[in-house]
Amino acid sequence: MLYSTGCNASASALASGHHPSYRGVRRRNGKWVSEIREPRTPKRIWLGTYTTPEMAAVAYDVAALALKGQDAELNFPNSASSLPVPASSSPRDIQAAAATAAAAAGAAQDALTSYNEEVNTNTTNNLIIVENNPIGTNNVFVDEDLIFDMPNVLMNMAEGMLLSPPRLDVDDAADEANTGDNSLWNYP
């Protein structure tokens, strides 16, 4: 079998439907699909159909980690620690974890896209988004609260603070013996 190199490799990959830079991802009917072959068997696990190649690539990464472990070649190796781990190595559990990771990647991408569109349409708010460094690189402001749904996290933490603390179960005999000094050091 002959393999082409250079630009011809990416052109042939696109012609066959495979993404030129993501493993386990190919284009089918205008959408991106992902699947992975089980190690040492001819069986494949279907990971789903997604709107972006990045979502399909993240789904592949979850499955690759579940099936091949830390030796797996990943599309996004720097994000391996933040990917969900399937409950077992069964195909259904791998598919569920892959779908969860792809949905999270899609939500983050949608949040960034909607934020960038909002910023581009609201240029009259005197909001400085890009500041120039002396080096000449641009820093773009990214709203992490929007991406990671931080307002809900903070609300959940606030609700937790409203709960009353649990009661200490101290028997009545100990209370009668320690009537004079109620120091923490007196409890067993």
Side-chain angles (χ1 to χ4, degrees):
M1 179 183 279
L2 294 175
Y3 291 99
S4 57
T5 59
C7 288
N8 294 337
S10 63
S12 65
L14 286 175
S16 69
H18 293 276
H19 195 277
S21 58
Y22 294 135
R23 299 176 142 282
V25 176
R26 61 186 163 92
R27 190 173 187 105
R28 180 201 260 174
N29 298 331
K31 296 197 177 191
W32 295 95
V33 299
S34 181
E35 64 183 350
I36 190 169
R37 186 179 302 270
E38 291 183 23
R40 298 175 297 281
T41 66
K43 291 180 173 182
R44 294 178 185 221
I45 298 175
W46 179 257
L47 300 174
T49 303
Y50 303 101
T51 55
T52 66
E54 291 79 14
M55 291 171 67
V58 168
Y60 175 86
D61 284 356
V62 169
L65 282 172
L67 294 173
K68 301 174 184 174
Q70 298 300 322
D71 296 334
E73 292 185 35
L74 303 177
N75 294 310
F76 305 107
N78 293 338
S79 64
S81 62
S82 64
L83 295 175
V85 177
S88 71
S89 61
S90 75
R92 286 203 186 270
D93 289 339
I94 291 172
Q95 289 169 335
T100 301
Q109 190 171 9
D110 289 345
L112 284 174
T113 303
S114 66
Y115 177 76
N116 287 336
E117 289 172 358
E118 179 182 322
V119 167
N120 290 338
T121 57
N122 295 331
T123 56
T124 59
N125 291 344
N126 296 328
L127 178 65
I128 299 174
I129 295 161
V130 178
E131 59 184 50
N132 291 326
N133 285 343
I135 301 171
T137 60
N138 291 333
N139 289 335
V140 177
F141 172 77
V142 177
D143 190 1
E144 286 133 357
D145 291 346
L146 182 64
I147 294 171
F148 297 114
D149 200 21
M150 288 301 287
N152 287 341
V153 170
L154 295 175
M155 289 297 295
N156 291 342
M157 288 173 57
E159 287 175 5
M161 295 297 290
L162 294 175
L163 297 175
S164 59
R167 286 187 47 118
L168 290 176
D169 289 333
V170 179
D171 53 341
D172 294 332
D175 282 342
E176 292 174 7
N178 294 328
T179 56
D181 187 20
N182 288 334
S183 171
L184 287 176
W185 300 109
N186 292 338
Y187 289 103

